Amino acid sequence: MERVPYRSIPDMLRHSAAKFRALNAVQFRKNGQWVILSYAQFYDRALMVSRGLRKLGVKPGDRVAILSENRAGWIIADMGILCAGGVTVPIYATGTPDQVAYALSNCRVRIVFVSGRGQYRKLLQVRDSLPDLELVVSFERFLGEAALPVTTFYQLSEVDDPILDLERSEIESVMDSISPETPATIIYTSGTTGTPKGAILTHGNLVFDVWATHEKVGGVGQGDLLLSFLPLSHVFERSAGYYLPLSRGATIAFADSMEKISENMIELHPTIMVCVPRFFEKIYSRIYEAVHQLSLFKRKMFRHALSVGRRYVYARYIDRYVPLWLSFQHAVADRLVFSKLRRRFGDRLKFCASGGAPLDREINEFFWIIGVPVFEGYGLTETSPVLCSNSFDALRFGSVGTPLASTEIAIAEDGEVLARGPQVMAGYFRDEAATREVLKDGWFKTGDIGHMEEGFLYITDRKKDLIVTSGGKNIAPQPIENLLKRDKYISQAYVYGDKKPYLTALLVPTVERLLEFAQEKKIAYHDLEDLVVHQPVFELYRSRVEAVNNELAPYQTIKKFALLPRDFTMESGELTPTLKVKRQVISERYRDRIDRLYEGSDS
């Protein structure tokens, strides 16, 4: 791989602003209309933020936080902070006041950008624990309180006053002083277990990962439109869904909301999307539910098309040879079936990237079959994040791909995945003990269990998540949970069994399917809490679990289960912002139900 051409993120932005000056950089909805900023305009907006921060006394190395949902202001603020030599501290918009206070106090933030009054109120609730906080900058206008001063993003940026040549020169001089070793951001881990830690990522970490990821996957350039909807607070969206497209002359369009992603895809016709597995799981489930409603003839045609499509994908991308007869069959299947399914995505998608959690192999294959390639990759907050990825040139289903250039992967004696490369963090902020625990001789201990086959990395599970039964069996719960979630009646699944004689599960029904079943069986109920305890419902789920058990080894099977009346959510603290299950939270919250599943056992 050729040398990374940028020293820092601001250096990368300056190059893009000069090279792609008139191209569309950012697109967002305001008052019902789409607003577009060119690369030149976006760069100027970032410099305006930087000018405002400098006037407030922000110096290189100072930490400035962003507590906001996704919006154009988020990335303009981030670039403004970085151009001033500051360190961006992204805070999840779904965080509780106490979680927000922990991160802000731990890194001694003086200034916080917020989306509006809702996030400002969180800060007010914990004002006494934030002695370093001096000012809030809001993307939306509202009146603050004397205890915590507020200014607007507009006032800080002084948008009506163009950047003067002298101001530009002064800011760019600061940008020139930023080295690859300079900290760019402190990202607090989502904390599936224990207290969140602030991972320090340098400019060198980030620009390498952006450059090497594109060299690996390719396909991003002028004319591409990336639909952004994952939290920018997470490094996956920030690196792959924000920095990378801006380094290549592509356009970032912000989705109206999580609920309107389907509408936005049809309206905007994106070419690239960065997603988490839950996104694909839901679409997969909806497609199969729609197929279930088709006539017998059309269902058979659909299954035949999938069979042809699977052979074609393996021939083209694994074996690298497609017989003429298979090409013809695939062309027919694509015209009759797959092209209609792709319309749900706007009919222009070149590929999607999936990360944050394991993607079920069958679901991944399905999207490749219908002509929506999904590159499953692997990485962590501490690795900026990408370590490995699949691509058109190197693809193995079930794996997370091969390492990026200049990136080494090793497997420890206990199966833990170790990584070494330019994207590995500098350490944890103000936590030398935790840093020493995970960084040894240049190797980063990922905490994941995996193995290598023909250069491809396969992840089994999180080291801390492995279930060791009382019989001594080591079991990874995530593959079993993915099998369960593939069922149209199951929205979420949590498998338990550590130090127990057998596995049990907590299942969250797919509400729409369950209500249809209740109507069909004429079950009388008051609410979901009442419905999930009805015997016909229990028998339905017992049969679904037994079907999954048939695909598992005897020691992996689910012996008992309980139905929950509501889904796991971020708001309840049961999911991380990337929709990974917080196992410790769930096991503690549903302790009574889990214990009842083991009553009468020898545990």
Side-chain angles (χ1 to χ4, degrees):
M1 187 184 80
E2 62 182 278
R3 186 181 66 85
V4 178
Y6 319 116
R7 285 171 53 83
S8 68
I9 294 296
D11 186 35
M12 183 189 78
L13 176 63
R14 181 168 48 183
H15 275 79
S16 292
K19 185 176 182 180
F20 311 117
R21 183 174 180 78
L23 297 182
N24 296 343
V26 184
Q27 182 173 340
F28 58 97
R29 187 103 64 182
K30 185 176 182 180
N31 299 324
Q33 302 296 319
W34 286 105
V35 177
I36 296 174
L37 296 178
S38 69
Y39 272 81
Q41 290 170 325
F42 179 76
Y43 183 49
D44 279 351
R45 291 287 185 92
L47 294 184
M48 289 173 182
V49 172
S50 185
R51 174 181 63 186
L53 291 172
R54 283 164 54 82
K55 287 181 179 180
L56 291 173
V58 172
K59 297 179 177 59
D62 286 353
R63 276 82 63 188
V64 181
I66 304 176
L67 173 59
S68 170
E69 300 78 13
N70 280 22
R71 57 194 301 157
W74 202 109
I75 63 174
I76 296 171
D78 174 54
M79 282 297 187
I81 295 166
L82 297 178
C83 288
V87 178
T88 300
V89 182
I91 310 293
Y92 286 107
T94 54
T96 65
D98 287 341
Q99 290 169 336
V100 170
Y102 175 82
L104 296 182
S105 61
N106 183 254
C107 61
R108 297 167 182 166
V109 162
R110 289 177 46 230
I111 298 173
V112 179
F113 288 87
V114 300
S115 53
R117 190 188 301 273
Q119 301 296 353
Y120 176 75
R121 284 185 182 136
K122 289 182 184 178
L123 298 176
L124 278 179
Q125 288 182 48
V126 291
R127 181 69 183 99
D128 292 342
S129 61
L130 299 172
D132 297 302
L133 184 58
E134 299 173 3
L135 180 69
V136 172
V137 181
S138 176
F139 297 134
E140 298 169 3
R141 189 185 300 274
F142 64 90
L143 291 175
E145 297 187 17
L148 189 55
V150 181
T151 189
T152 66
F153 194 52
Y154 183 86
Q155 291 169 320
L156 173 81
S157 304
E158 298 178 298
V159 176
D160 292 334
D161 295 326
I163 288 284
L164 301 176
D165 289 342
L166 179 60
E167 292 172 329
R168 184 184 298 269
S169 177
E170 290 175 347
I171 296 169
E172 291 187 338
S173 177
V174 173
M175 292 161 54
D176 290 338
S177 71
I178 299 172
S179 74
E181 293 74 33
T182 301
T185 188
I186 299 173
I187 303 180
Y188 283 83
T189 57
S190 51
T192 52
T193 59
T195 304
K197 297 182 287 289
I200 304 170
L201 301 181
T202 66
H203 285 272
N205 290 152
L206 292 167
V207 294
F208 169 81
D209 209 66
V210 166
W211 188 258
T213 298
H214 183 265
E215 290 291 293
K216 176 77 172 177
V217 175
V220 183
Q222 301 174 44
D224 279 315
L225 186 143
L226 186 140
L227 181 60
S228 175
F229 65 94
L230 293 182
L232 283 161
S233 305
H234 191 268
V235 69
F236 182 41
E237 178 69 15
R238 190 159 158 207
S239 180
Y242 157 29
Y243 292 151
L244 195 159
L246 285 186
S247 75
R248 310 305 301 187
T251 304
I252 302 169
F254 286 100
D256 291 322
S257 67
M258 292 289 284
E259 293 72 29
K260 292 189 176 181
I261 294 169
S262 296
E263 296 174 28
N264 289 156
M265 285 193 294
I266 294 172
E267 177 185 10
L268 295 173
H269 308 284
T271 59
I272 300 162
M273 291 177 68
V274 176
C275 310
V276 290
R278 192 72 180 133
F279 173 81
F280 300 109
E281 290 167 3
K282 287 185 175 181
I283 293 178
Y284 176 85
S285 177
R286 289 186 197 130
I287 290 175
Y288 266 88
E289 185 58 27
V291 169
H292 184 68
Q293 308 298 326
L294 297 175
S295 66
L296 177 62
F297 172 75
K298 288 186 175 180
R299 289 202 302 273
K300 286 184 176 180
M301 185 171 71
F302 178 78
R303 286 195 294 271
H304 175 71
L306 286 186
S307 176
V308 170
R310 181 173 284 104
R311 293 197 300 273
Y312 175 84
V313 166
Y314 272 83
R316 179 175 178 182
Y317 296 107
I318 309 296
D319 301 331
R320 302 287 167 180
Y321 171 73
V322 183
L324 187 62
W325 61 268
L326 183 56
S327 291
F328 174 76
Q329 285 187 321
H330 179 262
V332 174
D334 190 75
R335 182 177 179 181
L336 295 178
V337 178
F338 305 148
S339 62
K340 295 179 176 61
L341 294 176
R342 287 198 298 274
R343 290 172 193 162
R344 294 170 177 250
F345 302 89
D347 213 22
R348 265 206 330 151
L349 264 184
K350 296 197 299 187
F351 65 83
C352 296
S354 178
L359 176 61
D360 181 80
R361 176 174 179 159
E362 184 171 313
I363 293 176
N364 193 2
E365 287 183 358
F366 173 82
F367 281 94
W368 278 82
I369 288 168
I370 68 172
V372 180
V374 178
F375 296 140
E376 186 173 13
Y378 170 69
L380 302 92
T381 299
E382 293 88 343
T383 60
S384 306
V386 184
L387 290 168
C388 301
S389 179
N390 281 282
S391 66
F392 287 118
D393 296 326
L395 172 68
R396 292 293 185 277
F397 293 110
S399 83
V400 292
T402 56
L404 301 188
S406 304
T407 302
E408 299 174 77
I409 298 294
I411 307 298
E413 289 185 6
D414 62 356
E416 182 173 9
V417 178
L418 309 177
R420 184 163 62 182
Q423 67 272 64
V424 174
M425 68 170 182
Y428 293 119
F429 186 69
R430 296 174 63 191
D431 199 338
E432 292 183 8
T435 301
R436 287 194 300 271
E437 187 178 336
V438 298
L439 287 174
K440 305 236 185 224
D441 302 321
W443 290 95
F444 173 68
K445 299 169 69 175
T446 66
D448 288 309
I449 300 296
H451 63 276
M452 300 288 290
E453 290 181 20
E454 299 178 338
F456 288 82
L457 177 62
Y458 293 77
I459 299 296
T460 308
D461 215 313
R462 289 292 293 170
K463 187 174 179 179
K464 293 180 180 177
D465 292 345
L466 281 178
I467 293 171
V468 182
T469 65
S470 57
K473 294 290 187 181
N474 284 20
I475 303 172
Q478 286 182 340
I480 302 172
E481 290 164 353
N482 285 338
L483 278 176
L484 290 163
K485 288 188 295 182
R486 206 187 290 167
D487 189 283
K488 68 176 183 177
Y489 284 101
I490 300 173
S491 172
Q492 281 283 11
Y494 169 79
V495 172
Y496 186 84
D498 202 44
K499 300 181 180 63
K500 300 291 185 180
Y502 52 81
L503 298 186
T504 59
L506 299 177
L507 305 179
V508 179
T510 303
V511 174
E512 297 85 354
R513 304 291 82 79
L514 180 57
L515 294 182
E516 289 173 0
F517 176 80
Q519 184 177 15
E520 179 186 329
K521 297 298 182 182
K522 297 182 171 55
I523 300 173
Y525 61 94
H526 298 295
D527 51 28
L528 284 176
E529 193 95 36
D530 178 40
L531 180 58
V532 296
V533 299
H534 274 261
Q535 189 62 27
V537 172
F538 176 81
E539 291 300 326
L540 167 70
Y541 280 88
R542 187 174 62 80
S543 67
R544 314 304 290 196
V545 169
E546 285 180 358
V548 171
N549 282 342
N550 289 335
E551 301 182 45
L552 300 168
Y555 66 89
Q556 295 175 309
T557 57
I558 305 300
K559 299 296 190 291
K560 295 182 181 180
F561 65 89
L563 296 175
L564 303 180
R566 64 168 189 82
D567 217 337
F568 303 139
T569 65
M570 284 188 290
E571 291 72 21
S572 65
E574 295 157 343
L575 298 180
T576 71
T578 52
L579 307 183
K580 291 195 289 283
V581 169
K582 290 188 176 181
R583 312 194 76 83
Q584 186 175 337
V585 172
I586 292 175
S587 66
E588 291 174 358
R589 184 161 295 167
Y590 297 101
R591 174 57 54 199
D592 289 346
R593 294 194 188 216
I594 292 172
D595 286 346
R596 285 199 293 272
L597 296 175
Y598 291 99
E599 289 178 355
S601 72
D602 294 330
S603 63

